[in-house]
Amino acid sequence: QVQLVESGGGLVQPGGSLRLSCAASGSIFSITAMGWYRQAPGKARELVATITIRGSTTYADSVKGRFTISRDNIKNTMYLQMNSLKPEDTAVYYCGADASVGSRSIRSWGQGTQVTVSS
């Protein structure tokens, strides 16, 4: 089982920056990919960015060029650097990790961290 703890959210003005962190513990050797997701009030949870164990990354079109996902394998921590933030980026941001368990892939979630972009 994988445990995830996010941090780094907060209130920022439009055009500002934030860096989110996601610390992983537990069966981290079984993780095949990790990602950031977000959920705004009244909307479904959506994918923001992913990173595989090989370091391959993907981004939602809405954040390309503004957000950067990365990871530190020594610290077992994933990051999301968010620049040029817009009010529409306001959401609860969740860290997710896909772990291989036998023939299955199981996703674990963190508790979420609030990001509010407002003047």
Side-chain angles (χ1 to χ4, degrees), residues 3-56:
Q3 292 81 44
L4 304 169
V5 178
E6 302 102 332
S7 60
L11 173 64
V12 63
Q13 293 186 341
S17 298
L18 280 176
R19 188 176 81 156
L20 305 182
S21 299
C22 173
S25 60
S27 301
I28 55 176
F29 59 89
S30 65
I31 294 175
T32 57
M34 297 182 71
W36 289 97
Y37 302 76
R38 66 186 181 187
Q39 187 166 18
K43 294 188 177 181
R45 189 172 299 188
E46 63 176 1
L47 174 69
V48 176
T50 64
I51 186 165
T52 70
I53 56 173
R54 296 181 181 272
S56 298

Side-chain angles (χ1 to χ4, degrees), residues 61-116:
D61 288 343
S62 59
V63 306
K64 281 182 181 176
R66 300 188 298 122
F67 291 10
T68 303
I69 189 171
S70 63
R71 69 170 196 265
D72 183 327
N73 291 333
I74 295 175
K75 295 182 178 180
N76 296 322
T77 301
M78 177 179 65
Y79 303 98
L80 185 68
Q81 178 66 43
M82 305 186 293
N83 299 328
S84 302
L85 282 160
K86 304 175 181 180
E88 50 264 44
D89 294 319
T90 295
V92 178
Y93 283 69
Y94 296 91
C95 168
D98 294 332
S100 178
V101 182
S103 60
R104 299 181 299 160
S105 180
I106 297 177
R107 178 166 293 171
S108 299
W109 295 101
Q111 81 287 354
T113 185
Q114 177 71 46
V115 171
T116 303

